[in-house]
Amino acid sequence: MTSTADTATGSAAAGPVAGAGQPPVAVPPAPGRRGRGPRVRRRSVTTSRAPLFLLAPAALILLALVVYPLVRLVVISFQEYGLRAIFTGQAGFAGLTNYTNVLTDASFWPVILRTVVVTASMVLGTLVIGMAVSQLLTRLGVAMRTVVSVVLVLAWAMPNVASSLVWQWLFQPFYGVLNWLITQMRVFGDHTQDNWASHPAQAYTIVLTLVIWQAVPFVALTLYAAQSQIAPEYYEAGALDGATTWAMYRAITLPALAPTLLLVTILSVIWDFNVFNQIWLLTRGGPEDSTLTLGIWTFVKSFVSNAYGQGAAIAVISTAILGVLTSYYIRRLVRSGEEDL
């Protein structure tokens, strides 16, 4: 027979009994018993540190090629750094003198305004032509689309220096191809001896067309890749509703391309703001400083005037301006990525 004490003890060990309006309570399994309850595996130290080991080479490269030069640039901008400092390795502290000289220079604000205008023109021209080419690629056949894509990739892969020299030959006076072609048309007169780099408007034109010609392939191929991912059912529904091609492009294509457009816009602003090789090889900032941008002015101050401290100060100011110009787009890009998640 079971005693009353044993019964009470067994009831207490089994836990509270459901009843009297009380919901049943699950009793957790006793510790130390195998096969009961989920088992939590602890990550080993090696597994948790694996991403750090994988990211270490890239982090070291960024430190060596980006962070250290940027820190060194900021340090030089506060020093009296000239030819003497290069040979002796010693430079005195200049404080804010370099920044004061740059900000009070008569060329500072015209160069800032010119850089912003040139960058905006390049970015706008690149985006408009790139969007048109990407739309063209969607309407071509397979064979013709492959030919156009190969041509775009070849134009994009051409080095800046080589393309600038070819462009210089095209616009060269006396034996330039473009001058000869315009003269042969016999509409605009004889332009055989026309030097495009000697006129401000013409110099601006050849630099603008060269940079846009080099940047369009990347934008066009990137937008075409994004546009090819749009489901064709949307366009079929628009066609059934009687929408025109432009209406479907505005209502379907552009909203779908918005994140990609934002990304290529940011990259275009960064690249075009820092354009140097094309301008220096074609015009060297002239004529009459009509193509003198911040990049060219930095080079002239540093390596022509040997005022490396002022050149570093201009570079720091350029970086700050570029950060301000791209901060809005970067915030939009981050927000769009968070919404997608």
Side-chain angles (χ1 to χ4, degrees):
M1 295 180 64
T2 306
S3 62
T4 306
D6 294 338
T7 304
T9 305
S11 301
V17 181
Q22 296 182 356
V25 179
V27 180
R33 295 184 180 180
R34 297 181 179 179
R36 296 185 180 180
R39 297 179 63 186
V40 179
R41 295 182 179 179
R42 296 183 178 180
R43 293 185 178 180
S44 63
V45 178
T46 305
T47 305
S48 62
R49 293 181 180 178
L52 299 179
F53 289 113
L54 295 175
L55 293 175
L60 292 176
I61 293 176
L62 287 176
L63 288 174
L65 300 181
V66 178
V67 178
Y68 173 75
L70 185 60
V71 173
R72 182 62 177 161
L73 181 71
V74 174
V75 172
I76 293 177
S77 67
F78 290 99
Q79 293 179 336
E80 296 177 356
Y81 208 94
L83 288 177
R84 181 175 178 273
I86 293 179
F87 290 103
T88 62
Q90 298 178 355
F93 181 71
L96 298 176
T97 303
N98 293 325
Y99 289 93
T100 303
N101 294 334
V102 169
L103 294 175
T104 56
D105 195 304
S107 302
F108 177 74
W109 290 111
V111 169
I112 293 290
L113 180 61
R114 188 180 301 113
T115 303
V116 173
V117 172
V118 169
T119 302
S121 302
M122 292 177 181
V123 172
L124 182 61
T126 301
L127 292 178
V128 171
I129 299 177
M131 293 171 65
V133 175
S134 68
Q135 183 69 14
L136 175 65
L137 289 174
T138 60
R139 297 178 176 273
L140 295 177
V142 177
M144 196 61 187
R145 186 189 306 127
T146 303
V147 173
V148 175
S149 300
V150 170
V151 172
L152 290 174
V153 171
L154 291 177
W156 184 36
M158 192 172 184
N160 290 335
V161 176
S163 59
S164 300
L165 293 178
V166 171
W167 220 257
Q168 191 177 36
W169 171 70
L170 291 174
F171 293 91
Q172 192 75 17
F174 297 105
Y175 55 88
V177 175
L178 187 63
N179 290 345
W180 174 84
L181 183 61
I182 294 176
T183 303
Q184 292 299 317
M185 293 174 62
R186 298 181 180 179
V187 177
F188 304 99
D190 187 5
H191 286 267
T192 306
Q193 302 181 9
D194 189 9
N195 185 6
W196 289 71
S198 62
H199 303 283
Q202 294 179 355
Y204 178 81
T205 301
I206 61 176
V207 171
L208 189 68
T209 53
L210 173 58
V211 175
I212 292 177
W213 175 76
Q214 291 178 318
V216 160
F218 170 76
V219 175
L221 293 175
T222 304
L223 293 178
Y224 167 70
Q227 191 170 349
S228 62
Q229 302 301 316
I230 303 175
E233 289 79 7
Y234 294 107
Y235 297 102
E236 294 174 0
L240 291 176
D241 291 338
T244 61
T245 303
W246 169 245
M248 287 189 292
Y249 185 82
R250 184 178 55 186
I252 300 174
T253 307
L254 283 181
L257 293 180
T260 307
L261 275 173
L262 187 61
L263 177 62
V264 296
T265 301
I266 295 174
L267 295 177
S268 298
V269 169
I270 295 174
W271 292 337
D272 295 341
F273 191 87
N274 295 316
V275 166
F276 174 80
N277 291 335
Q278 297 90 326
I279 299 177
W280 182 255
L281 292 174
L282 289 177
T283 64
R284 297 185 181 272
E288 302 174 4
D289 296 339
S290 59
T291 57
L292 183 66
T293 59
L294 280 172
I296 303 298
W297 196 35
T298 303
F299 181 83
V300 171
K301 281 288 186 181
S302 300
F303 300 100
V304 177
S305 302
N306 296 324
Y308 299 99
Q310 294 186 25
I314 298 174
V316 172
I317 295 174
S318 302
T319 305
I321 295 175
L322 186 60
V324 172
L325 292 177
T326 58
S327 60
Y328 170 75
Y329 296 100
I330 293 176
R331 289 199 303 269
R332 287 285 304 274
L333 187 64
V334 171
R335 290 177 182 175
S336 62
E338 292 177 351
E339 292 175 358
D340 293 337
L341 294 176

